[in-house]
Amino acid sequence: GENVEQHPSTLSVQEGDSAVIKCTYSDSASNYFPWYKQELGKRPQLIIDIRSNVGEKKDQRIAVTLNKTAKHFSLHITETQPEDSAVYFCAAPSQNSGNTPLVFGKGTRLSVIA
Amino acid sequence: KAGVTQTPRYLIKTRGQQVTLSCSPISGHRSVSWYQQTPGQGLQFLFEYFSETQRNKGNFPGRFSGRQFSNSRSEMNVSTLELGDSALYLCASTSEGAAGNTIYFGEGSWLTVV
């Protein structure tokens, strides 16, 4: 089955700097890679996702890149703000059919220091 | 559209008791899945239901069970509760599109076993 590794587990950046979180996956057949943001005491919220027919996707200050050859994908947050502080999870489907269920990385706790 | 609704939000149970959690997916979504979130193990898949049938199952003991009704609402049950079952139980509703599925989480049910 799929295995997802996420690094780093914690990340502190100064406000305005960029943050990068990386994930690797094991199943070369995986074709869907979402990122979730979870604020303290709240639900994981989908912030961006990428499907394997593209290498990069952007949404304002957030971007995700995918390298299928190396089996890794990354979340990039530019111009970080204090409200970006949260735990971020990457995921990949445990099987290729239907993109569910998801296997999650262990999470990255991002702290943006004002 | 209303989001994924889970009830109850918070509950405390005693070891040996059983608990039932409820989830109403986003209107029109037919697939519901359940995840357990703990600090040590992260987000782990429990099971997925589609059109009242269990479609996938994670690696949890038989004490964990679920079902889905004809209106797509789902319940999960945990019998003979153990201290280690204390966790945030998240229900996820799946949007099935031509490009693939997208998963949205509810706010979760916080279960404490004492």
Side-chain angles (χ1 to χ4, degrees), chain A residues 26-44:
Chain A
S26 59
D27 187 352
S28 57
S30 289
N31 59 3
Y32 174 63
F33 307 94
W35 285 90
Y36 289 83
K37 173 185 179 183
Q38 188 174 29
E39 296 177 49
L40 190 61
K42 297 195 173 182
R43 65 187 173 92

Side-chain angles (χ1 to χ4, degrees), chain A residues 57-114:
Chain A
K57 183 177 177 181
K58 279 187 176 181
D59 183 3
Q60 299 181 10
R61 297 185 297 107
I62 293 173
V64 56
T65 58
L66 172 63
N67 184 326
K68 289 221 76 182
T69 303
K71 291 191 283 187
H72 68 70
F73 56 110
S74 300
L75 178 71
H76 304 254
I77 306 174
T78 59
E79 299 172 24
T80 54
Q81 301 168 4
E83 52 264 38
D84 294 329
S85 296
V87 179
Y88 292 81
F89 294 94
C90 63
S94 63
Q95 55 195 48
N96 201 28
S97 171
N99 296 331
T100 57
L102 293 174
V103 175
F104 285 85
K106 291 292 189 186
T108 296
R109 183 174 300 278
L110 173 64
S111 299
V112 179
I113 304 163

